[in-house]
Each structure stands twice: as C-alpha cells, then as structure tokens.
Amino acid sequence: MAADIITVHPQNPEPRKIAEIVKRLKKGEVIIYPTDTVYAIGCDLQNAKAVERVCKLKISKPEKMNLTFICHDMSDISKYVLNLETPIFKVMKSLLPGPFAFILKATSEVPRILGVRKKTVGIRIPNHPIPRFIVELLGNPLVTTSIKSDDLILEYTTDPEQIYEDYKHLVDIVIDGGIGGNIPSTVLDATESEILLIRKGLGEWKS
C-alpha cells in the first residue's frame, strides 16, 4: 500500500492533521516530515519496531547508526543526556530552537528504549512548527535521520512530491510542508567540556 501524503501548513499546522499523524506514529508508522533544514524520516521513540524500520531505510543497524532525537524544547532533553553542564546548557539554549544537532552523552534510558548500546545521542530542537507540534502532542521525541538524494548536484531532496515518489512504498506518511532546504544542520560534539564542530551546516556557530 502506498503512503499517504498529508499537506500541512508550515507556519500554522492544522491541529486535526497533527493529531492524526501522532495517532499513527503511536501505532508504529514511519513518517517523512519537514524541518528547519532538510526533510527527514522519523518515528515514535517508544516504538522499537518503527526504529528498526527507520534504520533499515538507511541500510544500517541501530547500534551503528547515529540516531538523533527531535525534542520539543530544552525540558525534554534531561531524560536522555548525561552531564549537561552549565556552559554547554547555555550554548544550547542560545542556539535552540535552530539548525543545530548536539551530540551528547546518553543516559541509560537511551539504550533501554532503543534496545542497543548507545553511549551518545544526537539532540535537535528544530525551528519549525510542524515537528515541534508533533513531538509536543506525541509526548516524547521522534527518532530521526535526514533524507539523502542520489542526485550528484542536489545532495538532499527538497520537493515533497519527489520525496513521495521516492518513498511512497517505504514509509506510511509523507508530510508536505512545502519545498524544503538542501543544507543540513550544523553538528556540534558536546560530549566533553569543550564543544567541537563536527559538520558545518546551516547554523552559524563560533567557539
């Protein structure tokens, strides 16, 4: 069965549509959705089978894959990360919501949820109403990974209609939130006291 494509207003997401998406996420369905950087694949953090599906779409095993959690706000983070020292917390608070992913030391809750040993976890709070509305209503983060394009010029697929054609038999829902970006998030390693730049993306950061 082909996926459903659901058009959601990017600035003012319709509550009824978000509620339907969340209902299906809780059943273990996998979605593609827009962020403040690129379109991404995601599922309910609490559904192990859905997490496995997301990993298989990236041809990777959960223990080897760098998974990122999409959170609603900073209050969601403490359950999943260790030693969030004041200087790092201040940096995160100054940059989030925004196009940044922070790699942090994971609590024991992360391997318990994912069923694999993970010492670190990526955290994102995107500056985009759709994913933040979804995780707020869901009550816990999404496990997510970005969509890569096979195009040698355009690294990330930006057109939701093209994304639907490429993934309609691999996921359950494609959210059309308009044309997406093709520059990924800036990735910062905050596992130690000094934050390190891992990947330069859309976000501007100075050490």
Side-chain angles (χ1 to χ4, degrees):
M1 185 186 301
D4 293 319
I5 186 164
I6 301 176
T7 301
V8 178
H9 195 285
Q11 277 78 47
N12 298 292
E14 298 88 341
R16 178 183 58 80
K17 292 181 179 180
I18 298 298
E20 174 62 23
I21 291 163
V22 167
K23 180 180 177 181
R24 293 175 62 173
L25 280 167
K26 289 181 176 180
K27 291 180 179 180
E29 295 194 7
V30 174
I31 68 172
I32 290 177
Y33 63 96
T35 74
D36 53 352
T37 55
V38 300
Y39 268 82
I41 301 171
C43 69
D44 183 354
L45 176 73
Q46 299 289 350
N47 194 299
K49 289 185 177 180
V51 173
E52 287 181 11
R53 281 184 63 194
V54 169
C55 293
K56 286 179 180 178
L57 285 172
K58 297 288 282 193
I59 318 176
S60 181
K61 294 181 179 180
E63 62 269 21
K64 294 183 178 180
M65 189 169 171
N66 294 321
L67 296 168
T68 298
F69 292 1
I70 296 287
C71 299
H72 176 256
D73 56 32
M74 293 292 290
S75 66
D76 283 349
I77 293 173
S78 59
K79 185 177 181 181
Y80 308 105
V81 304
L82 288 170
N83 304 326
L84 193 56
E85 299 175 1
T86 301
I88 292 174
F89 182 85
K90 285 183 177 178
V91 171
M92 293 179 70
K93 196 171 181 180
S94 70
L95 297 176
L96 300 174
F100 295 88
F102 284 84
I103 301 172
L104 297 153
K105 291 180 180 177
T107 65
S108 58
E109 187 75 6
V110 173
R112 185 192 69 78
I113 292 169
L114 299 179
V116 295
R117 293 181 181 180
K118 297 291 290 185
K119 293 183 177 180
T120 62
V121 63
I123 296 291
R124 278 213 67 200
I125 303 175
N127 187 21
H128 195 295
I130 291 175
R132 293 187 69 200
F133 194 171
I134 288 172
V135 295
E136 181 181 25
L137 196 58
L138 184 63
N140 55 255
L142 293 173
V143 171
T144 193
T145 184
S146 59
I147 292 176
K148 283 278 191 174
S149 172
D150 292 328
D151 193 309
L152 294 177
I153 299 174
L154 189 64
E155 187 176 5
Y156 293 91
T157 307
T158 61
D159 184 349
E161 291 187 3
Q162 184 59 53
I163 290 170
Y164 179 78
E165 288 303 315
D166 292 342
Y167 287 89
K168 64 184 178 182
H169 297 299
L170 299 172
V171 301
D172 303 295
I173 298 172
V174 174
I175 299 174
D176 181 350
I179 297 297
N182 63 354
I183 301 174
S185 58
T186 289
V187 179
L188 300 173
D189 185 337
T191 55
E192 304 296 338
S193 57
E194 182 180 355
I195 298 176
L196 300 175
L197 177 65
I198 301 300
R199 180 182 72 193
K200 178 67 180 73
L202 187 61
E204 290 294 333
W205 176 78
K206 293 181 180 180
S207 58

